[in-house]
Amino acid sequence: MLDRKTETAKWQFTPHQHRGPAEQFGENDHIYSPKLHNGSFKSRGLATFMGAPYCPPDRHKIREMGAKICFLAVPWDQGQIVRAGASQGAAGLRDATTQYFPYMFEYDVDLLSFFRVVDCGDVPTVPGNNIKSQEYTADYVTECLEGGAKVILFGGDHSLPIPGAKALSRFTGSGKMGYLHVDCHLDAGPDWAGNLITNCSGAPRALDLPNCNARNMAHMGSRNSLNPKDWWDFYVDNEIRVVTMPEMIERGLEVCANEIFERVKKDTDSLYFTWDTDSIDISCMPANSAPECYGLKGREVIQLARIAGRHGCDILDIVELCPDFDPSQISAKMTVNMIYHYLGSRAQTLRQQGKQP
């Protein structure tokens, strides 16, 4: 906790809504029913993810605070080939987290204090300039990794894994990196009308990285016809494992998810997991850049998040949430639970292994 006399930079959780004349200052106030007032529950205030403390995206500050999870947002949707709106994704997500406590009884864990979660704000972007915006993103992600934290990277459109994976590749150095892609779309265009860095080219750009091998890449969730033939050819030609939605339904999510996680993690030193919200069925995720039917249902989403938490990753990116298309907040709340259950399962797994985050 913060020593309020010395004002050190150590991690602490006392949101501004707990300060002032009706001050409420208790180390565990945030996981119990209110004593004096609602505090940060249903109060957006100075919005951060999960109500976590803000930390500058600086490796030294992150280490000083002892943060093990950095939430970093990228409000960028000018790399998409379909409808815009994902630039508002992080704002919608942060707002939706005010409707939840950071304590999860299923895992008996306070996510905030266990991981010392911090919100590192938004990556600055340059309108109309994909290259410069992606350079900034890679640099900001690098700061989080070098600060000793894992990263929840939130888009934004699905061009996000291009700079995200680049940052993890640099951080991994001479080691090997795995790449897992869960999506309705294969996103494997070598280019889109000559543009190499749109939201439909994440997988080819990952394979371009010096320490990412096709043997440690996999995709799950593809369906329907927004998948041109050259995207499919990319996976076939490079012998990258693809679990389509029909196969997942036939064999079961548990079997398929564990198979692809084991593939991408085998003999690797780091893992990048990119999860597009359009992998989720339109009935559960209407607020997406390219919503599709025949996708993951709510229970399967949480099941996949829990499986992912058991395996773990260095960067989890979640993309294409467009909250303005869903005033009911069904989509945003689903996305919050994707992340919370991933973190809850991860905390449970680490505890069972006798490890710290």
Side-chain angles (χ1 to χ4, degrees):
M1 292 294 294
L2 179 69
D3 182 338
R4 302 175 74 189
K5 294 181 179 179
T6 60
E7 293 294 316
T8 63
K10 297 299 182 183
W11 187 92
Q12 56 93 25
F13 179 67
T14 307
H16 73 94
Q17 297 99 321
H18 285 213
R19 304 292 178 90
E23 184 159 325
Q24 181 172 300
F25 184 79
E27 184 173 356
N28 294 313
D29 284 350
H30 60 287
I31 64 174
Y32 289 98
S33 299
K35 296 183 179 69
L36 301 178
H37 49 69
N38 260 5
S40 57
F41 181 70
K42 298 194 74 175
S43 175
R44 181 175 181 178
L46 302 175
T48 63
F49 170 73
M50 204 186 281
Y54 170 75
C55 179
D58 175 276
R59 65 188 70 185
H60 305 295
K61 296 295 184 182
I62 292 168
R63 286 192 180 278
E64 285 177 14
M65 293 185 73
K68 297 304 177 184
I69 292 289
C70 290
F71 178 86
L72 182 65
V74 186
W76 178 259
D77 59 10
Q78 295 181 39
Q80 55 81 33
I81 64 169
V82 283
R83 64 181 184 177
S87 62
Q88 301 305 307
L93 181 84
R94 287 182 174 119
D95 184 55
T97 64
T98 66
Q99 300 181 51
Y100 294 93
F101 288 87
Y103 173 76
M104 298 198 74
F105 76 92
E106 297 100 322
Y107 314 98
D108 190 23
V109 63
D110 169 11
L111 301 176
L112 268 174
S113 60
F114 184 82
F115 289 108
R116 296 185 179 181
V117 180
V118 296
D119 190 324
C120 290
D122 294 358
V123 174
T125 59
V126 183
N129 193 331
N130 270 7
I131 295 175
K132 180 57 69 174
S133 297
Q134 291 191 7
E135 286 177 0
Y136 287 150
T137 300
D139 290 344
Y140 276 56
V141 173
T142 296
E143 288 301 306
C144 296
L145 294 171
E146 292 289 351
K150 308 297 186 185
V151 184
I152 304 295
L153 186 60
F154 202 87
D157 66 47
H158 212 172
S159 63
L160 183 57
I162 298 176
K166 179 180 180 181
L168 185 58
S169 173
R170 291 191 310 209
F171 180 75
T172 306
S174 60
K176 295 180 180 180
M177 183 186 86
Y179 183 88
L180 176 57
H181 176 218
V182 174
D183 196 328
C184 171
H185 309 110
L186 294 165
D187 288 0
D191 65 86
W192 187 265
N195 190 338
L196 301 176
I197 54 175
T198 69
N199 68 334
C200 64
S201 295
R205 299 295 79 80
L207 189 57
D208 288 343
L209 297 170
N211 49 3
C212 186
N213 191 289
R215 292 189 298 273
N216 296 120
M217 296 177 66
H219 166 93
M220 185 171 76
S222 47
R223 61 195 192 274
N224 302 341
S225 64
L226 183 49
N227 286 295
K229 187 177 184 304
D230 54 308
W231 296 10
W232 178 246
D233 291 343
F234 169 82
Y235 287 95
V236 173
D237 293 345
N238 290 289
E239 299 181 346
I240 297 172
R241 179 73 168 100
V242 174
V243 177
T244 63
M245 185 57 66
E247 180 183 347
M248 192 214 79
I249 292 171
E250 179 180 350
R251 298 178 61 218
L253 175 60
E254 187 87 21
V255 172
C256 292
N258 281 313
E259 176 194 323
I260 58 175
F261 267 104
E262 288 165 7
R263 175 189 172 101
V264 298
K265 290 176 61 181
K266 186 176 181 181
D267 300 323
T268 59
D269 302 283
S270 64
L271 174 59
Y272 192 97
F273 177 21
T274 178
W275 192 353
D276 194 325
T277 53
D278 67 26
S279 63
I280 305 168
D281 192 83
I282 191 172
S283 62
C284 306
M285 183 59 63
N288 180 270
S289 299
E292 296 277 0
C293 62
Y294 193 42
L296 296 169
K297 299 297 181 64
R299 290 181 185 177
E300 295 169 329
V301 172
I302 301 308
Q303 184 184 4
L304 178 56
R306 292 169 67 107
I307 294 169
R310 293 200 294 268
H311 288 275
C313 61
D314 296 274
I315 298 178
L316 168 61
D317 90 29
I318 297 180
V319 296
E320 306 278 5
L321 175 67
C322 305
D324 289 348
F325 295 132
D326 179 13
S328 68
Q329 289 194 310
I330 291 172
S331 306
K333 293 184 73 173
M334 170 65 78
T335 310
V336 170
N337 279 290
M338 292 163 65
I339 300 173
Y340 279 32
H341 278 277
Y342 166 76
L343 292 175
S345 176
R346 190 72 200 133
Q348 183 180 66
T349 300
L350 291 170
R351 282 175 168 172
Q352 290 171 348
Q353 295 173 344
K355 297 180 180 178
Q356 295 296 317

